[in-house]
Amino acid sequence: NMPEPATLTRNGKVYLSGVYGVDKIKHISPECAFPISEIGKHLTPELFVAAQNTLRNEETVAYMTLARSCFYAPLAARLGFSYDEVVSIIYEELERTGLPNGLFDIAPGGIESSTAIPCAVNEMIMQSFEGILRLFPVWNTYVEASFHGLRANGAFIVDASASNGKIKAKILSEKGMTLKLEVPENGYIIALPDGKTVSAKAGIYTVDTAPLDVLYVESM
């Protein structure tokens, strides 16, 4: 029940300008895109582009590296910035404010500052909003990585790995909800619970599941 973010236009580009009518880019409240998930490339494509423009704006960058620094890297991942861009933001954050004990020298700020990097990595390896599951959406799949037991919207539990440009995943449906899986350009081979195998092309692949169904996903 959040209000829709306001927008403004500068030099032909649309930007977010906050949820309280503040007509300044640097005062945008990033929570509307992350973690509230009010903005998405399928649900609100225009606002999604506006959010990308806003996060790349110099005013916003200055704002996000201060009190909002705990949102900066996770938000960049949520908005589909590249792997290299998000990793660069993470390292900049570590160099600028990181302390030897793993905490961050940010004032004002508290324990939320320590969530910035693990939260960003989670958003890089799996996203689950707009009712859509995305595997390694902001990850260089030639950089080896894996995860086990991450929970996704719709009561799905996901194990997955990335290696040599390929993705493999096991998806357990706890409650028998409909699975919507975002398929990358190279496509997926999906082994369904009934024993059938399908080739899914780029886009959103949708399949109904029953409780405790297991699906296996592999890059073509």
Side-chain angles (χ1 to χ4, degrees):
N1 297 317
M2 292 291 292
E4 182 173 307
T7 60
L8 60 84
T9 301
R10 290 185 181 178
N11 300 319
K13 282 189 175 182
V14 179
Y15 299 89
L16 300 178
S17 60
V19 296
Y20 302 113
V22 179
D23 193 28
K24 294 181 179 179
I25 293 175
K26 68 179 181 180
H27 288 301
I28 173 62
S29 180
E31 293 93 333
C32 57
F34 175 87
I36 293 173
S37 303
E38 186 183 13
I39 293 175
K41 65 180 179 180
H42 294 288
L43 289 175
T44 58
E46 295 83 4
L47 287 176
F48 189 78
V49 173
Q52 291 177 319
N53 292 341
T54 305
L55 198 61
R56 295 185 187 281
N57 183 275
E58 291 181 1
E59 294 176 61
T60 310
V61 170
Y63 181 57
M64 296 294 283
T65 53
L66 295 173
R68 296 292 186 183
S69 59
C70 61
F71 287 98
Y72 190 19
L75 184 59
R78 173 62 65 91
L79 293 176
F81 281 34
S82 72
Y83 170 86
D84 289 337
E85 287 177 301
V86 180
V87 169
S88 177
I89 291 171
I90 289 173
Y91 274 101
E92 287 174 9
E93 187 69 26
L94 286 170
E95 292 173 4
R96 184 176 61 253
T97 62
L99 297 173
N101 64 358
L103 297 178
F104 292 84
D105 184 15
I106 300 171
I111 194 65
E112 73 273 12
S113 300
S114 297
T115 69
I117 293 173
C119 193
V121 172
N122 272 12
E123 287 294 314
M124 295 173 78
I125 61 177
M126 190 185 86
Q127 292 180 11
S128 171
F129 72 107
E130 299 185 289
I132 298 169
L133 175 63
R134 301 169 173 91
L135 302 172
F136 298 98
V138 188
W139 194 263
N140 178 352
T141 53
Y142 286 91
V143 177
E144 189 169 329
S146 63
F147 61 84
H148 175 77
L150 289 188
R151 289 189 170 273
N153 286 352
F156 296 101
I157 300 178
V158 185
D159 304 339
S161 64
S163 180
N164 296 319
K166 302 290 186 180
I167 293 171
K168 292 184 179 180
K170 172 187 174 183
I171 303 171
L172 167 66
S173 173
E174 283 193 311
K175 298 297 181 180
M177 305 290 283
T178 298
L179 173 66
K180 292 184 178 180
L181 179 66
E182 186 170 88
V183 182
E185 290 186 4
N186 59 338
Y188 282 147
I189 300 294
I190 302 175
L192 300 174
D194 62 4
K196 295 180 180 178
T197 300
V198 298
S199 299
K201 298 181 180 179
I204 305 298
Y205 178 78
T206 302
V207 57
D208 292 328
T209 69
L212 302 182
D213 274 354
V214 177
L215 298 88
Y216 293 91
V217 177
E218 187 170 351
S219 297
M220 287 186 181

